[in-house]
Amino acid sequence: MRFRDGRRSVCVSSQSGCPLTCTFCATGQMRFRRNLTAWEMLDQALHFRRIEPVDHVVFMGMGEPMLNVDAVLAAARGCPTSASPIAARRSRRSAGCRG
């Protein structure tokens, strides 16, 4: 996702398909295959970072991140440090990838 102010965000999937079958969601109409590993999620962000700078990573792609929370948190922890275009951001309530 590209924003007018120059920020670039990557939307990462946490599952292949989704087991929730929400009627408003196209992913919910797909068959659930499996949870993705932390490395598979991290690789999605790093793939796009190789193409152009990335400022933020959000876990709102295919699947429900909270149904794969351990792998999602591991992927967020695996984001490169502040010396890289994607940096870990820590707040009192959450941790995620941000630059």
Side-chain angles (χ1 to χ4, degrees):
M1 297 178 286
R2 291 184 185 101
F3 298 93
R4 291 181 188 175
D5 64 2
R7 291 175 296 134
R8 293 180 186 93
S9 297
V10 173
C11 192
V12 174
S13 296
S14 60
Q15 298 175 313
S16 176
C18 184
L20 296 182
T21 66
C22 299
T23 57
F24 59 86
C25 178
T27 302
Q29 306 308 305
M30 298 173 59
R31 189 174 129 215
F32 175 70
R33 303 267 184 197
R34 65 183 180 86
N35 287 323
L36 298 182
T37 66
W39 288 111
E40 289 171 314
M41 288 180 257
L42 186 56
D43 192 50
Q44 292 173 63
L46 296 176
H47 166 78
F48 287 100
R49 190 182 81 164
R50 285 188 289 270
I51 297 169
E52 63 184 356
V54 173
D55 299 298
H56 300 89
V57 174
V58 293
F59 293 90
M60 52 183 250
M62 184 182 299
E64 172 50 54
M66 296 308 288
L67 295 179
N68 192 12
V69 69
D70 291 336
V72 167
L73 292 175
R77 281 191 221 76
C79 288
T81 64
S82 60
S84 300
I86 301 175
R89 174 182 144 185
R90 306 256 188 260
S91 71
R92 290 180 299 227
R93 296 182 340 176
S94 66
C97 295
R98 181 176 186 262

